[in-house]
Amino acid sequence: MNLGAIFVGLALVILVLPVVFDPFRRPSPARRSAARTPAADSHERALLALRDLEFDYQTDKITEADYRAIRAELLAQAARAIEARKKEEEILEEIIRKRRQRKKEAAICPQCEAALQESDRFCPSCGHARINPCPACGHENRTEDRFCSHCGQQLEQDGNNGEKHAH
Amino acid sequence: MLTDVGLLALVLAFVLGVYATLASYYGGRTNQDTWVESARNAAILTFPLLTISVFAVVYALYALDFSLAYVADVSSRAMSPFLRVTALWGGQQGSVLFWAWLMSGFVMVVLLRKWERDRELMPYVIAVAMLTTAFFIGVVVFITNPFTRMWHFPGAAELTMAIFQPAGAMPYIPEDGSGLNPLLRHFGMIGHPPTTYLGFTGFVIPYAFAIAALITGKSSGDEWIRATRRWTLVAWIFLSIGLVLGGRWAYDVLGWGGFWGWDPVENAMLMPWLTGTAFLHSVMMTEKRGMLKKWNMVLIILTYSLALFGTFITRTGVISSVHAFSKTALGPAFFGFIGLTFLGSLSLLFARWDTLKSDHQLESFLSREAAFLLQNMLFLAITFAVFWGTVFPLISELVTGTKITVGPPYFKRVTGPLFAALVLLMGIAPLFAWRKQAVRKLGKAIWVPFAASLVLSGVWGYAHRMHPAVYPALWLVTFVVLAILMEFWKGVRARIRGRGESPWVAFQKLIGRNRRRYGGYIIHLGVVMIALGFIGDAYLKSETQGTLQLGESLQIGEYSLRFDSLDYYPGSDGREVLEATTSLFKNGELVTQLNPRRDYFVVQQQPVTIPGVYSTAAGDVYALLVGWEEIGFQSSTFKIYINPLIGWTWLGGLVMILGTLIAAWSPSRDREGATYTLKPRQASLSYLAGD
Amino acid sequence: MLRKILISLLILMTAGLAVLTVHAQETNPDFPSDNDVNTIAKQLYCPVCPNTPLDVCETQACKDWRAQIKSQLAAGWTEEEIIDYFVEQYGERVLAEPRRSGFTSLVWLLPVIAALLGVVIVWQILSTWRTAHAEAAVPLTTEQQISQEILAQIENELREID
């Protein structure tokens, strides 16, 4: 194996390594989850079945009596699924609300240890001026920081709130 | 220089593959996104690295770098540059590398497209897919390395194969290579191996998602099916095209007048196609009715294992001789990996058995669900028959010590009736409604195509009245085609009546709004066309053989072939060509000139018989030069086949591609993934999962 | 009934044709022709090359075997005698179609058993599903019992996916 090839090989390694280890140097952006709940599956399935049933009826594959009976059943299934999804969403919103609440109260004044809210710029009990607080965990950062040194959350920069879209 | 870089890139790709497998599994287990993302980057980089490696091999083949054992084995000075490039998949080392490259390509595309979705499944998708990819790259690196060189020890009788120079050895560089196997020097070889390999490797995607769903325990949701639906279809159509092209190649090159010989290698390709087709249908039962969730898992595990088994058979030659198995480490390595994949996946499935709750309820035996189930059973029965016939010689040799042959008569007799039942089902099943089918309505729907098909096939059968046995087969085909066309017509009519659309608009919208259903029906039409080719082969084929003096004719049916001359000349790619000039007459009138040939490849000492073929819509006249008088070329022996309906097979392949395009096409990017997914209402519950 | 008559007619016709061809063979002056040889060679596999039927095999050995079949035919051997001779000489692997007796009968039996078993299993599964449906208490709902708001939503969604 000649020297040139070894150099090119080394160059490949040098090109590859930063890409592979890049995620450890900076936090990864939040990704969407595609997990679905049983209610969502049931909802979609009922709608598809209703559509197929309608089509089978129009193309004269199914008798009027069967059509009515199955349609009523599928409508009921869809209705049940919709109700269930609504409940799920309510629970979800409740959880998100609670989590926000918790987050807002999570920060503690470094000077007097009083509970702080996310939006507080000064500690209400001792008047400590907070510097670049993290919207997620309340940790105070240096003014030039772009990400929270405690939890990795992107920090607000000149009114540009990077995390507003999350929920 | 370039080959050295290719070797280094290959080793680096192997390291990255192993790293991606471990890192993604670790990241998934400990719920650390950074590890998963790092694994993802590594997995994506595997493809460009393997591309460098593949390019290095291709360049060595093209530039005739005979210092590489692989190049000396499959390339030669006499071969055209084009053939030298296709030699990449002409031998073992190159084709395993090619396979690994294609698979890493699939993995890369999935990781680029699906990364933002499926956060829970992704770590394990990467782990499973990269485990297989790393295994294949590992096989290339350690067992069949295309960068292996030949070395000569002073005084040694044999050459030593090694990648690096052993101490005291001299490099051995032959003047010329032995060149590609003559049978592979055909244009069908451009398309057949790559498409088949794309089909085989493509099934890794649904398999990886299925296993990921099992590992995370999220398998009761249909997410993995939704995510891989289109990938499965892509893998399936490539495998289908591979099968059709393989048939075309056999027809053009092997010189036995047929296109499907039930050879172990062909069977190895057919089996994953059969279970894959069953899988494509059974996932519809899950999506629409929430049924068969466990069964889907069984099918995809089976399909993927059979795809690996297919590679195993083609690359190790185990079936033709048990002894070929242990000649290299390749056989045991593959065998171990397939066993691990199959048993590991199954035990994982059984561990998660209870999470796969299906909603199994059915009103009637007469329903589309029942038809789907029967169809799945038939596919599995055919797969078993093919598998059993393929491995039986091996079993016989191991158990009784007698070598036996299981040839086409077995496969035709056993799978024929099952295939006929499947084709019939293809015509009847679309007439069934979901859940419940009134007998009265079914009778009404079946009556018209049934009566019309009796009449039409009667007329058609009259044209082949010399072969009365073909009549039921012709009826079956006619009936199924008419039943499918009726489905289109009924759908169009319903739209015209219900929405007042014009027929053309109704037709377009009918297909556009139900792409999978009508794309599927078009694929069915293609399958029927291919079945027609098999029917012609089974019932209507005729052949004759005779030795002719110059000017004499051989009669077959309404055709006769006159022997005009025989010429000898040296051809391209190092072959000696013996070419007969013959005139084909139909009912006494000259239709065309046919030039059946015998190419003799001097270096390989291998003859290749190339037919002269005259194709019409009704069938082919296929003439072979099978013998000749050495002195004076005054007489030659010809074999002529009449292959009716054979052209339908190739046409059917094209129709299948068209149907798949319709079924898989997504109209625009933002509706990617489904034609009917509902808009998510506000936030979805899934934020609970990992936050 | 009509079908039965048709089928028996078909069988009669095929049988008649078969008799005709046999007859033609015996009176043919060129007997044995290449076609007669190929009819037998088709049922045999090349004893040396992997997976190649004898009638299309290109090797010199196979040409000699075909010539041998020809001389055996000329000497008045029957088809069975020739095939038996080849099996005796080169083993059972020359048979394209495995024998239906002894160990090799398994190759024929198992797929048939598997297919029959498959039908039984499918029938069983369908029965279970049907029972599950009969037992599941289907709440008697009519469209009136579903709230107008939800019904409207379903209608809306249906229109969206269509």
Side-chain angles (χ1 to χ4, degrees):
Chain A
M1 190 167 287
N2 66 30
L3 210 61
I6 292 171
F7 272 121
V8 176
L10 274 177
L12 279 179
V13 174
I14 289 165
L15 276 172
V16 161
L17 285 183
V19 181
V20 173
F21 292 108
D22 187 50
F24 294 104
R25 290 194 297 116
R26 54 167 189 83
S28 30
R31 282 184 294 130
R32 233 165 8 113
S33 159
R36 301 157 56 88
T37 63
D41 275 346
S42 173
H43 180 193
E44 192 168 306
R45 217 171 263 144
L47 282 178
L48 287 178
L50 273 169
R51 188 175 81 140
D52 280 351
L53 178 73
E54 194 62 41
F55 192 73
D56 282 347
Y57 180 61
Q58 279 173 14
T59 49
D60 198 30
K61 282 181 191 165
I62 194 161
T63 60
E64 174 101 28
D66 286 344
Y67 167 71
R68 290 203 178 284
I70 296 174
R71 183 179 153 84
E73 196 189 305
L74 287 174
L75 281 174
Q77 187 195 333
R80 275 199 301 274
I82 289 173
E83 300 279 2
R85 282 186 93 169
K86 271 191 188 147
K87 276 212 190 80
E88 280 170 359
E89 274 158 23
E90 277 162 22
I91 294 169
L92 176 74
E93 272 162 27
E94 179 66 21
I95 287 169
I96 292 172
R97 203 174 54 77
K98 275 196 182 143
R99 193 178 294 165
R100 282 208 182 125
Q101 192 83 37
R102 217 170 35 220
K103 275 183 188 165
K104 274 178 190 163
E105 290 169 358
I108 287 168
C109 172
Q111 200 163 302
C112 70
E113 297 190 347
L116 297 175
Q117 294 231 326
E118 187 198 324
S119 53
D120 289 352
R121 308 190 67 171
F122 297 90
C123 170
S125 62
C126 71
H128 164 74
R130 299 180 73 202
I131 313 151
N132 201 7
C134 168
C137 69
H139 182 81
E140 291 176 22
N141 295 283
R142 284 170 298 173
T143 37
E144 70 271 23
D145 287 355
R146 290 179 58 224
F147 295 94
C148 176
S149 61
H150 183 246
C151 70
Q153 175 76 29
Q154 190 173 2
L155 298 172
E156 290 183 28
Q157 299 266 315
D158 307 326
N160 168 25
N161 189 338
E163 265 304 290
K164 225 163 211 163
H165 62 86
H167 297 294
Chain B
M1 161 81 187
L2 186 60
T3 53
D4 289 341
V5 172
L7 177 65
L8 288 171
L10 182 69
V11 173
L12 193 55
F14 176 67
V15 173
L16 284 185
V18 173
Y19 169 77
T21 311
L22 299 175
S24 58
Y25 187 76
Y26 175 72
R29 266 288 121 109
T30 57
N31 210 359
Q32 296 186 61
D33 260 2
T34 38
W35 280 93
V36 182
E37 201 178 344
S38 168
R40 176 224 187 199
N41 291 354
I44 290 176
L45 282 172
T46 312
F47 180 73
L49 285 172
L50 285 181
T51 308
I52 295 175
S53 204
V54 166
F55 180 76
V57 175
V58 168
Y59 183 77
L61 287 167
Y62 171 76
L64 302 170
D65 177 1
F66 293 125
S67 66
L68 295 184
Y70 183 66
V71 176
D73 210 27
V74 296
S75 194
S76 71
R77 293 186 193 281
M79 274 159 58
S80 65
F82 170 73
L83 280 174
R84 292 179 203 166
V85 172
T86 65
L88 172 64
W89 49 78
Q92 188 180 78
Q93 291 92 326
S95 62
V96 179
L97 172 65
F98 184 57
W99 167 291
W101 180 62
L102 289 178
M103 186 173 265
S104 73
F106 264 110
V107 175
M108 181 185 77
V109 177
V110 164
L111 292 184
L112 290 177
R113 284 183 64 91
K114 293 272 178 196
W115 178 242
E116 296 301 324
R117 298 137 49 98
D118 309 317
R119 197 180 61 181
E120 289 86 354
L121 296 180
M122 256 322 159
Y124 303 107
V125 170
I126 300 175
V128 173
M130 287 314 289
L131 178 68
T132 317
T133 314
F135 167 76
F136 274 95
I137 305 175
V139 166
V140 179
V141 173
F142 298 111
I143 302 176
T144 66
N145 197 317
F147 299 107
T148 306
R149 293 169 190 278
M150 293 177 282
W151 307 95
H152 182 246
F153 282 103
E158 282 184 8
L159 295 171
T160 307
M161 302 290 168
I163 295 166
F164 299 109
Q165 187 162 20
M170 296 290 291
Y172 175 77
I173 301 173
E175 261 308 295
D176 198 357
S178 27
L180 201 56
N181 181 341
L183 291 176
L184 304 183
R185 302 184 185 190
H186 176 258
F187 80 89
M189 275 293 126
I190 318 159
H192 168 62
T195 44
T196 311
Y197 280 14
L198 277 171
F200 276 170
T201 52
F203 276 112
V204 77
I205 305 306
Y207 170 76
F209 271 87
I211 296 298
L214 281 176
I215 294 176
T216 55
K218 301 237 182 247
S219 37
S220 62
D222 312 339
E223 177 44 33
W224 72 275
I225 290 175
R226 263 171 242 278
T228 59
R229 190 163 54 202
R230 193 165 290 147
W231 297 89
T232 314
L233 213 50
V234 167
W236 180 85
I237 191 63
F238 274 121
L239 195 50
S240 310
I241 297 171
L243 284 167
V244 174
L245 284 178
R248 178 77 213 202
W249 169 74
Y251 188 65
D252 286 348
V253 168
L254 296 188
W256 47 273
F259 55 92
W260 188 261
W262 298 99
D263 189 69
V265 176
E266 289 170 311
N267 293 344
M269 275 193 316
L270 181 66
M271 285 189 282
W273 185 86
L274 289 168
T275 52
T277 314
F279 175 71
L280 274 181
H281 287 87
S282 79
V283 291
M284 274 188 257
M285 288 274 279
T286 308
E287 281 177 47
K288 298 216 169 189
R289 297 293 318 273
M291 289 169 156
L292 296 180
K293 284 177 184 166
K294 292 167 186 156
W295 183 235
N296 286 332
M297 288 287 175
V298 174
L299 278 181
I300 190 64
I301 290 170
L302 206 56
T303 303
Y304 186 62
S305 303
L306 284 171
L308 291 179
F309 182 69
T311 326
F312 170 61
I313 283 189
T314 45
R315 289 275 62 110
T316 60
V318 60
I319 293 294
S320 54
S321 162
V322 193
H323 311 294
F325 177 69
S326 48
K327 261 187 195 155
T328 65
L330 190 67
F334 257 105
F335 197 70
F337 187 72
I338 295 169
L340 192 79
T341 304
F342 188 61
L343 297 177
S345 315
L346 279 189
S347 46
L348 182 63
L349 173 61
F350 288 125
R352 294 273 193 255
W353 196 250
D354 293 334
T355 65
L356 294 160
K357 282 218 179 60
S358 293
D359 180 24
H360 285 147
Q361 288 187 18
L362 193 64
E363 277 88 342
S364 164
F365 285 116
L366 218 54
S367 58
R368 198 174 261 213
E369 285 89 337
F372 266 107
L373 210 58
L374 191 63
Q375 175 262 21
N376 259 250
M377 189 282 285
L378 285 169
F379 266 114
L380 262 268
I382 296 173
T383 311
F384 176 74
V386 174
F387 177 78
W388 187 236
T390 308
V391 301
F392 195 78
L394 211 64
I395 294 174
S396 170
E397 196 181 343
L398 288 173
V399 175
T400 65
T402 341
K403 276 197 166 190
I404 66 153
T405 303
V406 180
Y410 162 83
F411 292 102
K412 281 182 191 165
R413 221 159 276 189
V414 174
T415 63
L418 296 172
F419 272 118
L422 264 184
V423 173
L424 182 66
L425 208 56
M426 232 159 53
I428 294 179
L431 304 176
F432 284 116
W434 287 99
R435 299 170 67 129
K436 200 176 185 181
Q437 174 66 49
V439 182
R440 192 165 49 84
K441 292 273 180 194
L442 183 65
K444 217 173 131 191
I446 256 179
W447 184 83
V448 175
F450 183 74
S453 63
L454 273 182
V455 175
L456 278 177
S457 59
V459 175
W460 192 2
Y462 183 74
H464 298 293
R465 58 191 174 282
M466 291 304 288
H467 308 273
V470 79
Y471 182 77
L474 291 182
W475 169 78
L476 183 63
V477 166
T478 327
F479 171 71
V480 172
V481 168
L482 288 176
I484 294 172
L485 292 180
M486 278 286 282
E487 273 302 294
F488 277 92
W489 162 238
K490 276 196 265 183
V492 168
R493 196 178 52 183
R495 282 195 87 93
I496 294 174
R497 279 190 192 155
R499 292 158 219 247
E501 291 165 346
S502 76
W504 176 237
V505 172
F507 179 71
Q508 279 176 317
K509 285 201 170 167
L510 181 76
I511 294 176
R513 299 283 149 86
N514 301 275
R515 290 173 179 282
R516 286 175 83 201
R517 181 189 288 221
Y518 290 98
Y521 288 164
I522 290 172
I523 295 175
H524 284 183
L525 287 175
V527 173
V528 173
M529 290 179 183
I530 292 175
L532 209 51
F534 275 92
I535 288 170
D537 188 62
Y539 295 105
L540 303 174
K541 194 174 184 153
S542 55
E543 63 171 84
T544 189
Q545 182 176 327
T547 305
L548 303 178
Q549 300 294 322
L550 278 179
E552 279 185 341
S553 292
L554 188 61
Q555 188 79 26
I556 179 167
E558 56 195 351
Y559 290 100
S560 73
L561 188 82
R562 191 182 68 200
F563 174 38
D564 295 336
S565 68
L566 186 66
D567 304 295
Y568 168 85
Y569 59 90
S572 60
D573 292 350
R575 57 181 121 191
E576 291 172 355
V577 180
L578 205 58
E579 185 172 17
T581 308
T582 62
S583 305
L584 185 71
F585 296 88
K586 185 181 183 183
N587 297 325
E589 284 192 33
L590 180 71
V591 280
T592 187
Q593 203 176 59
L594 291 180
N595 297 85
R597 275 163 48 187
R598 166 75 60 105
D599 292 5
Y600 186 73
F601 287 82
V602 183
V603 180
Q604 293 82 8
Q605 302 195 353
Q606 188 173 339
V608 175
T609 309
I610 296 173
V613 182
Y614 171 65
S615 297
T616 64
D620 288 4
V621 179
Y622 183 101
L624 291 170
L625 174 67
V626 295
W628 58 92
E629 189 182 64
E630 295 285 351
I631 304 149
F633 291 166
Q634 288 303 304
S635 80
S636 290
T637 309
F638 292 95
K639 195 168 187 178
I640 313 173
Y641 293 90
I642 304 280
N643 290 328
L645 305 176
I646 205 159
W648 286 99
T649 305
W650 324 128
L651 194 64
L654 292 177
V655 171
M656 270 166 77
I657 297 174
L658 174 76
T660 308
L661 284 178
I662 288 174
W665 191 264
S666 75
S668 62
R669 274 188 78 85
D670 53 358
R671 290 174 70 192
E672 195 259 324
T675 44
Y676 54 72
T677 305
L678 295 170
K679 289 185 193 118
R681 290 161 45 78
Q682 302 172 19
S684 81
L685 196 65
S686 54
Y687 275 100
L688 278 176
D691 264 35
Chain C
M1 194 58 214
L2 190 71
R3 260 189 95 89
K4 270 191 181 162
I5 293 173
L6 259 174
I7 288 168
S8 24
L9 265 178
L10 284 181
I11 291 169
L12 270 178
M13 277 173 73
T14 1
L17 275 172
V19 169
L20 275 177
T21 38
V22 167
H23 191 68
Q25 206 172 65
E26 277 165 3
T27 51
N28 194 338
D30 309 330
F31 182 84
S33 70
D34 287 350
N35 289 341
D36 301 320
V37 173
N38 282 339
T39 318
I40 294 169
K42 219 188 259 298
Q43 301 170 47
L44 296 170
Y45 261 60
C46 165
V48 286
C49 351
N51 295 303
T52 318
L54 188 57
D55 65 323
V56 296
C57 188
E58 296 283 337
T59 58
Q60 191 55 45
C62 286
K63 279 180 192 159
D64 295 344
W65 275 310
R66 284 196 292 266
Q68 187 185 347
I69 294 176
K70 195 166 194 165
S71 56
Q72 282 168 335
L73 275 175
W77 291 40
T78 63
E79 200 173 302
E80 286 90 80
E81 282 168 351
I82 296 173
I83 289 173
D84 286 345
Y85 169 81
F86 269 85
V87 172
E88 203 174 294
Q89 288 285 310
Y90 307 105
E92 267 188 66
R93 62 170 299 192
V94 297
L95 287 177
E97 196 174 324
R99 287 211 162 122
R100 291 171 200 213
S101 57
F103 183 72
T104 49
S105 63
L106 275 181
V107 76
W108 295 96
L109 276 179
L110 242 59
V112 177
I113 294 172
L116 291 178
L117 207 67
V119 173
V120 173
I121 291 172
V122 165
W123 186 262
Q124 293 263 322
I125 291 172
L126 287 174
S127 310
T128 330
W129 288 0
R130 232 165 60 123
T131 331
H133 177 74
E135 279 170 3
V138 181
L140 276 174
T141 349
T142 53
E143 290 190 24
Q144 284 79 33
Q145 278 169 286
I146 302 164
S147 80
Q148 281 305 312
E149 184 203 349
I150 286 184
L151 212 53
Q153 187 193 334
I154 295 174
E155 292 287 340
N156 234 338
E157 287 171 341
L158 272 177
R159 224 166 294 132
E160 234 171 81
I161 61 172
D162 201 15

